[in-house]
């Protein structure tokens, strides 16, 4: 009997629990890699399989979760051994119980040489050699490579059963910043996928609440939560969720529409035994359509003047003004007032540029919006905030009427400070854009318009262009470019205009001295002033250099106009008056 035939009987399919955490809890095994136990401690792996089967599960996973890492590292022989032994041990354990054996694939690592699809398909080939036809891709933070995996599997083995499971937190977001609902929707739409669902990170109650509002159609739903949430005791990580509590939630999860259930981190044979007893006689039920929840938010949302102007086809002017390094805000505010009177559409505020601490860009953005009525565009870096802190900040910005953000990875902390101050990068700008885009659809009455940076001065600009296209796929609606101060940068801008769909604000930086030009070329990443421009500043005093900056910036503004939707002026050394002269000259 196959998996589909089993489920047609109307009873849920119960999986095993967590091989990894259960193996790590055995004496002397906490520091060992679980998958290597297939080769080094096969009797222990077999004993764990039997313990879950005797507890009452009717499907077990091969002990192969991290084999994708071996393949990414070029360890093909080791991967083949782990999979061959993992498949043998699982089959031998399952046969007396008539249980299903699922080939277990963990998330494909981000690898420069191999795409996720390639790593998944390499594993499929090795599992198919062992005669396995049931597959579980689990704990996934994205669906990268899943469509290719599904198509490849069904070409190789049309009768195979494929279950795809994503790992979401209590807020329904993966560690890559992707929305679980959207991942589920896209995966369920693939005809080659037989079931989809969620596992890991969340405890049973949070996954229960999550699936209660899930639109799933007739897709077979799988839910395999953790036993609860981890607590560190001494050097051990423990899950305190009890088997009795877990089993009660399993009954509710099946009642909410899950056809396939089981356990992830922290779930032991005791958890599965208790769940098996509680589910005895339980039937799979198709849930009613999720009720529309009342939403206490303004239906129309706020107006976004900057984006409305861009969308209408009118050119915009954004000016960057560095935030103060102390608590004296007067010069900054005076500069903003001057820019407002000059007709600037938005003031962009850097987020601790060059990794040096300055006044918070988001707090300043709220102040400008509230007190001066100026449209701000705060920079938001991936440095020093995890996804929780980022969401909290975005919600605060939205409440204050700030609905445009510039997302950048951010500069690392300068090396001289790293002994005392550590950089924290949990994600990159693409992942952050995907996360903000997900919030737009889930939590916000007025969506953020997401901008990103485009480095026109990169040596390998084709890579930058590809990354920019990926950013657009993640929800980026426009780009602010690095300054055009060379013929190469202009050519790269023309390329970008031909390829990218989003709005482009062309970067202009008024170089104010020969020393300034040399500094930019040698110490600021992403900046390049061509020799022709640098040489013009030799011997110029301040007044002469500013007049030259005015002429060069005005010329560049006119050259880039056909390829941009506006300009992005960077203010050197708070010389706001120079910026106003450039704006007046441009007209």
């Amino acid at each position: 009997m196959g998996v589909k035939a089993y489920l047609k009987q109307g009873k849920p399919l119960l999986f095993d629990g967590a091989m990894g955490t259960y193996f790590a809890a055995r004496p002397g095994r906490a520091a060992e890699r679980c998958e290597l136990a297939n080769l080094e401690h096969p009797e222990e792996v077999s004993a764990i399989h039997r313990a879950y089967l005797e507890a009452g599960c009717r499907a077990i996973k091969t002990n192969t979760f991290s084999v994708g890492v071996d393949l990414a590292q070029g360890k093909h022989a080791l991967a083949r051994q782990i999979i061959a032994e993992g498949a043998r041990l699982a089959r031998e354990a399952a046969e007396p119980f008539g249980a299903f054996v699922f080939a277990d694939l963990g998330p494909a690592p981000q690898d420069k040489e191999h795409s996720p699809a390639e790593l998944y398909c390499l594993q499929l080939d090795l599992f198919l050699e062992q005669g396995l036809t049931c597959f579980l891709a689990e704990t996934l933070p994205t669906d990268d490579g899943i469509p290719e995996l599904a198509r490849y599997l069904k070409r190789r083995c049309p009768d195979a059963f494929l279950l795809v499971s994503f790992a979401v937190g209590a807020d329904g977001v993966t560690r890559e910043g992707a929305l679980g609902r959207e991942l589920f929707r896209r995966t369920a739409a693939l005809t080659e996928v037989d079931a989809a669902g969620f596992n890991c990170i969340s405890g049973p109650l949070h996954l229960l609440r999550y699936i209660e509002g899930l639109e799933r159609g007739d897709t077979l739903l799988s839910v395999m939560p953790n036993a609860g949430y981890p607590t560190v005791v001494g050097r051990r990580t423990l899950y305190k969720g009890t088997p009795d509590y877990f089993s009660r939630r399993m009954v509710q999860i099946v009642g909410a529409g899950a056809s396939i259930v089981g356990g992830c981190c922290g779930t032991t044979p005791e958890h599965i035994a208790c769940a098996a007893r509680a589910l005895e006689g339980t039937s799979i039920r198709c849930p009613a359509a999720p009720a529309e929840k009342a939403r206490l938010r303004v239906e129309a949302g706020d107006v976004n003047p900057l984006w409305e102007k861009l969308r209408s086809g009118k050119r915009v002017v954004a000016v960057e003004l560095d935030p103060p390094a102390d608590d004296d805000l007067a010069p900054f505010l005076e500069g903003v007032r001057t820019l407002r009177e000059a007709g600037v559409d938005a003031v962009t505020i850097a987020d601790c540029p060059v990794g040096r601490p300055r006044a918070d860009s988001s707090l300043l953005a709220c102040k400008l919006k509230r007190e001066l009525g100026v449209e701000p565009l705060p920079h938001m870096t991936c440095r020093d905030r995890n996804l929780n802190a980022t969401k909290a900040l975005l919600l605060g910005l939205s409440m204050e009427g700030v609905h445009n953000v510039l997302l950048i990875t951010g500069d690392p902390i300068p090396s001289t400070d790293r002994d005392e101050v550590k950089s924290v990068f949990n994600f990159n700008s693409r992942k952050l854009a995907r996360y903000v885009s997900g919030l737009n659809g889930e939590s916000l009455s007025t969506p953020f318009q997401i901008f990103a940076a485009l480095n026109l001065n990169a040596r390998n600009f084709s890579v930058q262009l590809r990354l920019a296209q990926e950013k657009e796929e993640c929800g980026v609606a426009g780009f602010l470019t690095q300054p055009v101060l060379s013929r190469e940068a202009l050519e790269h801008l023309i390329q970008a205009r031909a390829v990218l769909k989003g709005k482009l604000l062309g970067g202009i930086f008024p170089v104010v001295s020969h020393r300034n030009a040399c500094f930019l070329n040698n110490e600021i990443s992403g900046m390049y002033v061509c020799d022709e421009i640098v040489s013009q500043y030799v011997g110029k005093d301040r007044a002469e250099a500013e007049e030259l900056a005015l002429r060069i910036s005005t010329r560049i503004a006119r050259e880039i106009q056909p390829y941009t939707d506006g300009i992005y002026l960077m203010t050197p050394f708070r010389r706001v008056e120079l910026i106003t002269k450039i704006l007046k000259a441009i007209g």
Side-chain angles (χ1 to χ4, degrees), residues 439-559:
L439 286 180
N440 283 342
E442 288 274 306
S443 308
L444 303 171
S445 57
T446 302
F448 281 99
Q449 295 303 327
I450 306 169
F451 294 85
L454 178 63
N455 184 5
L456 300 177
N457 301 308
R459 289 186 178 180
N460 191 347
F461 184 66
S462 61
V463 173
Q464 291 296 312
L465 208 50
R466 175 177 57 79
L467 292 175
Q469 289 176 292
E470 291 179 9
K471 290 176 183 179
E472 287 189 325
E473 293 171 2
C474 293
V476 168
F479 296 89
L480 278 63
T481 79
Q482 288 284 38
V484 177
L485 288 164
S486 68
R487 179 55 52 183
E488 293 84 359
L490 178 59
E491 291 172 356
H492 291 162
L493 177 63
I494 295 171
Q495 291 179 43
R497 176 83 288 174
V499 171
L500 299 177
K501 302 173 184 176
K503 303 295 184 180
L504 288 178
L505 302 188
I508 299 175
F509 187 100
V511 178
V512 295
S513 68
H514 182 262
R515 181 180 178 181
N516 183 211
C518 293
F519 176 80
L520 294 173
N521 277 344
N522 287 278
E523 299 200 39
I524 301 298
S525 176
M527 302 284 270
Y528 174 66
V529 187
C530 69
D531 292 341
E532 178 186 350
I533 292 178
V534 174
S535 64
Q536 294 180 56
Y537 283 88
V538 176
K540 297 285 193 300
D541 61 23
R542 174 166 176 155
E544 291 171 332
E546 281 207 3
E547 182 61 31
L548 179 58
L550 173 61
R551 292 200 306 270
I552 292 174
S553 298
T554 302
R555 172 178 60 79
I556 291 172
R558 289 171 180 155
E559 286 180 345

Side-chain angles (χ1 to χ4, degrees), residues 110 140-142 144 167 173-179 183 387 426-428 430-435:
Q110 295 298 318
L140 306 183
T142 73
D144 294 344
V173 177
T174 75
R175 62 179 170 83
E176 292 287 333
L179 282 176
L183 293 173
L387 287 177
N426 290 145
F427 40 87
N428 57 34
R430 299 187 300 285
K431 190 187 302 185
L432 181 55
R434 182 188 291 166
Y435 181 68

Side-chain angles (χ1 to χ4, degrees), residues 233-392:
V233 178
R235 295 184 178 181
R236 298 180 62 196
T237 300
L238 303 176
Y239 289 80
K240 293 189 175 181
T242 65
D244 181 61
Y245 177 84
F246 182 83
S247 65
R248 292 200 305 272
R249 295 303 183 195
M250 283 294 103
V251 173
Q252 293 175 303
I253 285 171
V254 170
S259 305
I260 301 170
V261 292
C264 204
C265 296
T267 49
T268 66
E270 289 74 23
H271 288 82
I272 299 305
C274 205
R277 290 192 294 272
L279 291 171
E280 192 171 344
T282 302
S283 298
I284 299 170
R285 293 186 297 182
C286 294
E292 186 68 27
K293 295 181 180 179
R295 294 154 75 100
L296 300 176
R297 65 169 78 159
V298 180
E299 289 298 324
D302 292 338
V303 175
N304 187 334
L306 176 64
W307 185 248
E308 289 302 318
K309 189 170 182 178
L310 276 169
R311 191 167 60 175
S312 69
K314 297 177 182 177
R315 292 185 65 76
V316 304
V317 176
V319 177
E320 181 173 313
L321 202 57
D322 279 345
D326 53 31
D327 64 351
D328 182 6
L329 199 54
F332 180 82
L333 293 179
E334 184 58 34
V336 173
R337 290 189 185 96
T338 301
L339 293 172
R340 181 185 61 187
E341 292 165 5
V344 167
D345 296 293
V347 173
T348 83
I349 312 165
D351 183 1
C352 296
V354 203
R356 298 290 191 186
R358 286 179 175 264
D360 186 86
S361 58
S362 294
L363 288 176
L364 282 178
C366 295
K367 190 173 185 69
L368 297 188
K369 181 77 174 184
R370 188 187 324 114
E371 298 183 11
L372 300 181
V374 171
E375 196 63 30
L377 178 56
H379 299 198
M380 182 175 290
T381 70
C382 301
R383 182 191 57 236
D384 304 332
R385 296 186 194 97
N386 60 21
L387 287 177
N388 280 353
T390 299
K391 181 176 181 179

Side-chain angles (χ1 to χ4, degrees), residues 10-31:
K11 54 185 179 182
L13 175 61
L14 179 62
F15 263 77
D16 54 4
M19 170 68 75
T21 54
Y22 194 52
F23 176 79
R26 297 172 75 87
R29 301 299 182 223

Side-chain angles (χ1 to χ4, degrees), residues 7 75 79 88 152 220 248 261 398-400 408 463 471 481 505:
L7 292 171
K75 300 175 182 177
R88 180 183 68 81
Y152 183 76
L220 292 174
R248 292 200 305 272
V261 292
S398 186
M399 292 172 188
E400 290 282 353
I408 55 177
V463 173
K471 290 176 183 179
T481 79
L505 302 188

